[in-house]
């Protein structure tokens, strides 16, 4: 819509915002009218109309099988559009149009903002299935007529009340029509069922909706006046009401077709099961985070015990083996600590990589610099845990074997994340400028425990590839190529 309005019309950005607000709300008008809606805006030279948005009803058959957005129509071809735009009134005159053997009633509703008509909504009703309307359909049509008059007067949609139509109740979820005093004139079967869920035993018609709602949703203090006003439809508001184990979502829409409030529409949806599942998920998430937190604590306890044991070892080789185990356990603990702070089983691995690098750098004699380039991005827990161990082993190997005691050097970790698609890959390079690989060294057959761990985790758990090769000038490069899920 933005492109069409800016390319073909003279409307300002504030006018465009008003059209966006209208389009965010007009599913309600379409459903109440049982009709298709097409928004036509006059072009810059005033000789044509361009259709910038379209809506089909959820409550009836469509009148347009094809997409109308982007169509251009000369002035004069559709007289109802001309009359609504020029006279600023709703135009309903004329016989039904026939489209592919389907009779269609066409009406035009001017879209007004601050006294100016910005465009026209063409309301097209498929008459093929017309029958004697029920009380529900009559209420729908009357409410649609009131909303159409408010659009023509520039009082609907309500400024500053942008609505997420995916989350808000719709007409089919439940509808209540109130008079000016907040008394229920009509309640759809779904609306009555939702109030029965709250504990209502009687009928709604003839009741004051605000008072009934406040009684069904008791508070510990005095009657909730805000809830009474909302359910009475005095202002455009949304809220949730909970009582008797049920939860309903309310949306009030004051009806002011001629400037004075004649009543209100209250749309409602029974969200009891949805909220119950959300609470279960919250409880589950909290439990999972608590488990990660306890696993982290247990791993840190194991690392501390290993560290104590290493201090009591007389053998330098045994002490170093235990210190390596401490770092392996510590790398896993870092992942669980990060997972304990998240709502899902995905982690930002850059922070983990930096902490692993800092932890392993502690074994350096102080003259080797470790740094990271690039971004790992967000990884699943089943990737992050083995990858943290792999990174720990590779860094330990570089710091222990690439440099002599007291020698200056650099170890650089570079991460390159592929395009966010199903077969995305993560390329990791750990490069040092140390002494390089021994003559005849084969990384795929070396018996070093650390390299065995790396091979097993990369090729077995991560489904990737692992290679060690001499650096371009000196030192060693370790290259990991790992498949990863697309970032969300």
């Amino acid at each position: 819509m933005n492109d069409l309005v800016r390319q073909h019309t003279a409307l300002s950005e504030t006018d465009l915002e008003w059209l966006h607000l209208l389009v965010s709300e007009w599913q309600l008008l379409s459903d109440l009218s049982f009709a298709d809606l097409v928004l036509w805006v006059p072009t810059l030279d005033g000789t044509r109309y361009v259709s910038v948005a379209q809506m089909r009803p959820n409550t009836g058959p469509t009148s347009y099988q094809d997409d109308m957005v982007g169509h251009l129509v000369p002035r004069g071809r559709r007289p109802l559009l001309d009359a609504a735009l020029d006279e600023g009134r709703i135009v309903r005159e004329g016989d039904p149009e026939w489209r592919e053997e389907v009779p269609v009633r066409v009406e035009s509703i001017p879209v007004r903002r601050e006294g100016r008509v910005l465009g026209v909504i063409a309301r097209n009703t498929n008459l093929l299935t017309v029958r004697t309307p029920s009380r529900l359909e009559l209420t729908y049509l009357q409410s649609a007529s009131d909303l159409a008059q408010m659009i023509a007067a520039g009082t609907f949609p309500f400024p500053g009340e942008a609505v997420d139509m995916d989350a808000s109740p719709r007409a089919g979820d439940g509808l209540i029509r109130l008079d000016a005093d907040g008394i229920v004139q009509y309640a759809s079967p779904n609306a009555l069922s939702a109030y029965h869920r709250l504990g209502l035993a009687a009928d709604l018609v003839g009741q004051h909706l605000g008072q009934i709602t406040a009684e069904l949703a008791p508070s510990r203090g005095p009657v909730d006046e805000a809830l009474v006003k909302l359910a009475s439809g005095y202002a455009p508001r949304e809220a949730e009401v909970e009582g008797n184990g049920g939860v309903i979502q309310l949306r009030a829409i004051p009806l002011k077709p001629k400037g004075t409030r004649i009543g209100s529409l209250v749309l409602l949806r029974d969200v009891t099961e949805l909220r119950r599942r959300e609470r279960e998920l919250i409880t589950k998430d909290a439990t999972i985070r608590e488990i990660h937190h306890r696993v982290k604590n247990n791993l840190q306890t194991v690392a501390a015990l290993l560290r104590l044991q290493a201090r009591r070892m007389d053998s330098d080789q045994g002490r170093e083996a235990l210190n390596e185990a401490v770092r392996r356990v510590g790398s896993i603990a870092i992942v669980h600590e990060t997972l304990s702070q998240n709502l899902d089983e995905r982690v930002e691995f850059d922070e983990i990589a930096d902490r692993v690098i800092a932890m392993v750098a502690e074994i350096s004699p102080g003259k080797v610099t470790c740094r990271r380039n690039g971004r790992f991005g967000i990884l699943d827990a089943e990737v992050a845990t083995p990858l943290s161990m792999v990174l720990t082993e590779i860094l330990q190997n570089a710091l222990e074997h690439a440099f002599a005691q007291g020698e200056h050097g650099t170890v650089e970790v570079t991460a390159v994340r592929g395009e966010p698609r199903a077969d995305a890959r993560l390329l990791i390079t750990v490069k040092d400028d140390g002494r390089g690989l021994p003559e005849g060294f084969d990384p795929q057959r070396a018996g070093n425990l650390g390299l065995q761990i790396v091979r097993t985790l990369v090729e077995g758990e991560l489904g990737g590839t692992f290679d060690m090769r001499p650096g371009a000038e000196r030192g060693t490069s370790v290259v990991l190529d790992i498949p990863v899920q697309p970032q969300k």
Side-chain angles (χ1 to χ4, degrees):
M1 185 168 73
N2 288 351
D3 293 340
L4 289 171
V5 169
R6 289 167 181 157
Q7 178 182 355
H8 294 285
T9 78
L11 298 182
S12 66
E13 290 299 317
T14 53
D15 293 334
L16 180 57
E17 289 177 9
W18 182 261
L19 295 185
H20 274 292
L21 188 60
L22 172 65
V23 168
S24 73
E25 293 271 24
W26 71 344
Q27 179 72 66
L28 175 61
L29 177 63
S30 177
D31 290 346
L32 293 175
S33 304
F34 308 98
D36 289 76
L37 306 179
V38 179
L39 178 58
W40 297 92
V41 180
T43 57
L44 185 62
D45 58 9
T47 61
R48 296 180 296 175
Y49 299 96
V50 58
S51 57
V52 298
Q54 179 178 359
M55 179 58 66
R56 293 183 172 93
N58 295 318
T59 51
T62 183
S63 302
Y64 287 111
Q65 299 298 329
D66 299 327
D67 189 356
M68 294 295 297
V69 175
H71 283 216
L72 290 165
V73 174
R75 271 185 69 96
R77 180 174 296 179
R78 300 194 177 183
L80 297 186
L81 292 181
D82 298 339
L85 182 69
D86 297 339
E87 301 173 23
R89 64 180 180 89
I90 299 175
V91 183
R92 296 191 177 94
E93 298 88 352
D95 296 326
E97 296 182 2
W98 287 83
R99 299 175 186 166
E100 299 180 357
E101 299 183 355
V102 175
V104 176
R105 182 174 64 242
V106 181
E107 304 166 87
S108 295
I109 305 167
V111 177
R112 193 184 303 273
R113 174 181 175 270
E114 296 182 351
R116 294 166 40 245
V117 177
L118 307 182
V120 179
I121 295 175
R123 181 163 56 177
N124 305 271
T125 307
N126 186 326
L127 300 178
L128 198 60
T129 58
V130 168
R131 61 186 185 278
T132 303
S134 65
R135 180 74 187 280
L136 171 66
E137 292 168 328
L138 288 173
T139 303
Y140 272 33
L141 293 171
Q142 180 58 54
S143 302
S145 176
D146 294 335
L147 287 178
Q149 292 183 59
M150 292 169 65
I151 291 173
T155 57
F156 186 84
F158 303 107
E161 292 291 331
V163 174
D164 182 359
M165 291 305 298
D166 292 332
S168 293
R170 299 193 178 192
D173 296 325
L175 178 143
I176 296 175
R177 174 89 185 209
L178 307 179
D179 65 13
D181 297 321
I183 305 300
V184 178
Q185 295 180 310
Y186 175 80
S188 71
N190 285 348
L192 187 58
S193 174
Y195 265 84
H196 285 167
R197 190 73 174 263
L198 291 182
L200 178 69
D203 193 3
L204 273 174
V205 176
Q207 304 272 13
H208 189 282
L209 187 65
Q211 295 176 359
I212 286 291
T213 304
E215 291 171 4
L216 294 173
S219 59
R220 295 181 181 178
V223 174
D224 189 342
E225 294 295 336
L227 181 58
V228 173
K229 289 185 177 180
L230 181 143
S232 301
Y234 291 117
R237 293 287 186 273
E238 288 193 39
E240 285 191 3
V241 179
E242 184 169 358
N244 194 42
V247 185
I248 62 173
Q249 185 180 11
L250 296 176
R251 183 190 176 200
I253 303 173
L255 297 176
K256 304 177 181 179
K258 297 182 180 179
T260 303
R261 192 174 71 87
I262 63 168
S264 306
L265 274 185
V266 177
L267 306 178
L268 62 149
R269 175 191 296 159
D270 185 346
V271 293
T272 305
E273 292 303 314
L274 178 62
R275 295 296 175 258
R276 181 184 61 80
R277 291 173 185 170
E278 286 178 351
R279 288 167 185 164
E280 289 178 354
L281 287 174
I282 290 172
T283 302
K284 180 182 176 182
D285 288 340
T287 302
I288 291 173
R289 285 194 287 173
E290 178 63 21
I291 290 172
H292 283 304
H293 181 71
R294 293 190 181 189
V295 170
K296 182 262 297 184
N297 288 344
N298 291 338
L299 289 172
Q300 288 181 336
T301 300
V302 171
L305 292 173
L306 290 173
R307 195 177 293 111
L308 285 173
Q309 187 65 41
R311 291 173 183 170
R312 294 175 177 268
M313 294 287 293
D314 295 328
S315 167
D316 291 340
Q317 186 176 2
R319 186 184 305 111
E320 182 55 35
L322 286 176
N323 284 331
E324 286 183 0
V326 168
R327 288 187 285 273
R328 287 168 185 148
V329 172
S331 66
I332 302 174
I334 290 172
V335 176
H336 282 282
E337 181 180 3
T338 305
L339 287 169
S340 70
Q341 300 168 1
N342 291 347
L343 293 176
D344 56 15
E345 292 289 288
R346 294 168 67 82
V347 294
E348 177 62 65
F349 196 80
D350 295 320
E351 178 186 351
I352 293 174
D354 291 340
R355 293 180 63 181
V356 167
I357 291 170
M359 177 183 67
V360 177
E362 292 177 0
I363 69 173
S364 169
K367 298 186 179 181
V368 177
T369 302
C370 298
R371 60 172 176 262
R372 172 179 64 87
N373 296 320
R375 293 192 68 250
F376 289 85
I378 297 174
L379 298 177
D380 292 333
E382 56 264 29
V383 175
T385 301
L387 183 56
S388 67
M389 286 194 66
V390 167
L391 193 57
T392 300
E393 296 299 331
I394 294 173
L395 289 170
Q396 280 187 173
N397 191 69
L399 291 172
E400 289 179 5
H401 302 294
F403 305 98
Q405 183 71 24
E407 186 179 0
H408 291 267
T410 301
V411 178
E412 191 172 271
V413 180
T414 302
V416 178
R417 187 74 175 255
E419 293 296 323
R421 56 177 186 253
D423 58 347
R425 305 190 73 84
L426 176 62
L427 186 65
I428 304 167
T429 305
V430 181
K431 181 173 62 176
D432 67 67
D433 55 3
R435 67 186 70 173
L437 296 172
E439 188 71 27
F441 179 82
D442 184 356
Q444 302 302 327
R445 297 190 178 184
N448 179 297
L449 176 61
L451 289 180
Q452 288 181 12
I453 292 174
V454 170
R455 285 199 299 269
T456 301
L457 292 177
V458 171
E459 297 173 0
E461 288 200 33
L462 297 175
T465 60
F466 157 71
D467 190 24
M468 292 182 72
R469 62 188 71 155
E473 298 180 359
R474 58 175 298 184
T476 305
S477 289
V478 179
V479 181
L480 308 175
D481 188 355
I482 300 169
V484 291
Q485 292 294 323
Q487 299 191 64
K488 297 179 181 178

